[in-house]
Amino acid sequence: MERTEALALLSRHVQGVSLRSHCIATGAVMREAAAALGADPARWETIGILHDIDFEEVGGDMQRHGIRGAEILAAAGVDGEICSVVTRHNHQLFGGYTAPLEVVLQAADSVSGLVIACALVKGGAVTGVTEKTVRKKFREKGFAAGCDRERILPVEAVMPLPRFYDCAIRGITRVKEDLGLH
Ligand SMILES: [Fe+2]
């Protein structure tokens, strides 16, 4: 399933603008990280776009989050590996991620909000966000407090943190118009 198709499926299940933006941003970070790692950028972006597809439907029930998402995706004909990754990305039920795809998904899920928050304090200009900005804001615990820093750090087993931040900024810059940023 390619990006356009994934976005169409997402829009059938997610109505909230901020959740849609979160999914698009996470997908964009996944694409850049895949490219940096020699993995499949289109596939990783699709996973990022779809990972929270059930979030509105489960309505905060974290015992169902991910599991229900995989059911939605399987019904839409999405392959089993993607369904399994979506099930397992719920770190409250699973964890102990070692596969680069799963490690990066945890980090992308979290860093996307951090980079968007960095852009918002610059008047929405993601083009003004640098790797140094993200590093500095990472250390300010009160900033984007919903962004769980502990889910980002394990990415260092896969690639150096500064390189991951560069991927995140590049990815979010690529989809900036979709996120209402510039
Ligand atoms: Fe997410």
Side-chain angles (χ1 to χ4, degrees), residues 1-155:
M1 180 178 283
E2 295 291 320
R3 183 172 195 271
T4 314
E5 223 182 321
L7 289 173
L9 183 58
L10 179 73
S11 65
R12 286 203 287 279
H13 292 270
V14 170
Q15 305 314 315
V17 172
S18 69
L19 181 55
R20 273 193 207 183
S21 291
H22 165 71
C23 293
I24 291 168
T26 301
V29 177
M30 291 293 285
R31 171 180 278 269
E32 294 298 327
L37 294 168
D40 184 337
R43 185 171 176 82
W44 284 36
E45 180 165 28
T46 293
I47 292 168
I49 289 170
L50 297 174
H51 79 285
D52 276 343
I53 195 158
D54 64 357
F55 207 79
E56 290 181 351
E57 186 182 321
V58 301
D61 180 355
M62 294 306 275
Q63 297 301 311
R64 289 180 66 219
H65 177 47
I67 296 167
R68 178 62 195 139
E71 288 171 1
I72 292 169
L73 297 180
V78 173
D79 73 69
E81 192 213 16
I82 293 182
C83 294
S84 160
V85 169
V86 167
T87 300
R88 288 176 36 79
H89 97 276
N90 179 352
H91 63 288
Q92 296 187 18
L93 292 182
F94 299 93
Y97 307 107
T98 55
L101 169 57
E102 294 195 317
V103 172
V104 173
L105 180 56
Q106 292 298 309
D109 194 2
S110 201
V111 86
S112 53
L114 185 61
V115 173
I116 290 171
C118 287
L120 291 176
V121 294
K122 290 179 183 289
V126 69
T127 46
V129 177
T130 64
E131 180 265 328
K132 194 178 158 200
T133 318
V134 180
R135 239 186 312 133
K136 179 167 167 276
K137 293 299 188 185
F138 181 98
R139 288 195 301 268
E140 286 177 26
K141 298 300 175 207
F143 180 82
C147 156
D148 184 352
R149 273 73 168 164
E150 296 305 311
R151 294 175 69 209
I152 296 175
L153 291 175
V155 84

